[in-house]
Amino acid sequence: MVCRMFRIEAEVDKERRELLRTRLRDTNTAASPALRALRPEREQPLHVWALDAGDGLAGGLVGHTWATWLHVAYLWVDERHRGSGLGSRLLAQAEHLARTERACTRVRLETWDFQAPDFYRKQGYKVVCTIPDYPPGITEYTLVKRLA
């Protein structure tokens, strides 16, 4: 039996994070024929911004595309502009760009119960996962949409 000594550390290290990400991606790619077929494809950022008359940030969407999917990470609209349709416009523009310029066929995103699950349902999204108490007292939803 081989006894190995390890030093365990708990610190933020961006260089190690990237090394770990690369090694995990390589391991997963080696194990999955589907991922091997996607090997040259990488995540590409997709950002859509709404600026007011003074070039201030009125709203925005931050996401990325990968493997025919758009993943929306953040969608935010300034309180002064909520209810104006701006969120719908930002989301529609991101979906359009993902579909027409990047050949995406689906979208995924996460939201909390107090944020916008009903907004996304109105935009054609379907709930595929709910995680109660994440964080405690809050439910997280994962929603998806097929792009036409």
Side-chain angles (χ1 to χ4, degrees):
M1 180 165 122
V2 176
C3 181
R4 297 182 185 196
M5 299 297 293
F6 298 98
R7 185 176 76 245
I8 305 296
E9 297 178 357
E11 64 183 62
V12 175
D13 185 318
K14 291 180 183 179
E15 189 175 313
R16 286 181 185 158
R17 180 192 67 201
E18 285 307 308
L19 178 60
L20 182 114
R21 182 179 177 188
T22 298
R23 289 182 179 175
L24 179 60
R25 184 181 58 229
D26 291 347
T27 299
N28 290 343
T29 301
S32 169
L35 290 178
R36 273 196 302 281
L38 295 170
R39 186 64 172 140
E41 191 169 337
R42 293 283 183 253
E43 291 178 6
Q44 291 183 294
L46 193 150
H47 299 178
V48 180
W49 306 106
L51 306 175
D52 63 22
D55 282 339
L57 184 62
L61 180 148
V62 172
H64 68 269
T65 57
W66 177 74
T68 72
W69 281 80
L70 165 61
H71 182 211
V72 176
Y74 311 117
L75 173 59
W76 175 83
V77 173
D78 187 277
E79 190 173 346
R80 295 171 293 162
H81 304 292
R82 292 182 191 152
S84 70
L86 182 55
S88 298
R89 289 177 57 199
L90 289 165
L91 189 58
Q93 180 65 20
E95 291 172 356
H96 174 76
L97 292 170
R99 184 174 40 82
T100 60
E101 296 182 7
R102 303 190 188 180
C104 289
T105 58
R106 296 181 186 179
V107 186
R108 67 167 286 193
L109 55 87
E110 297 82 27
T111 191
W112 285 322
D113 56 7
F114 66 88
Q115 289 177 317
D118 291 336
F119 165 79
Y120 291 115
R121 285 185 187 109
K122 288 177 187 172
Q123 309 305 313
Y125 286 76
K126 305 276 188 246
V127 174
V128 295
C129 176
T130 58
I131 305 173
D133 269 351
Y134 182 73
I138 296 172
T139 298
E140 182 182 85
Y141 296 91
T142 301
L143 296 98
V144 298
K145 179 179 179 180
R146 185 177 297 272
L147 298 175

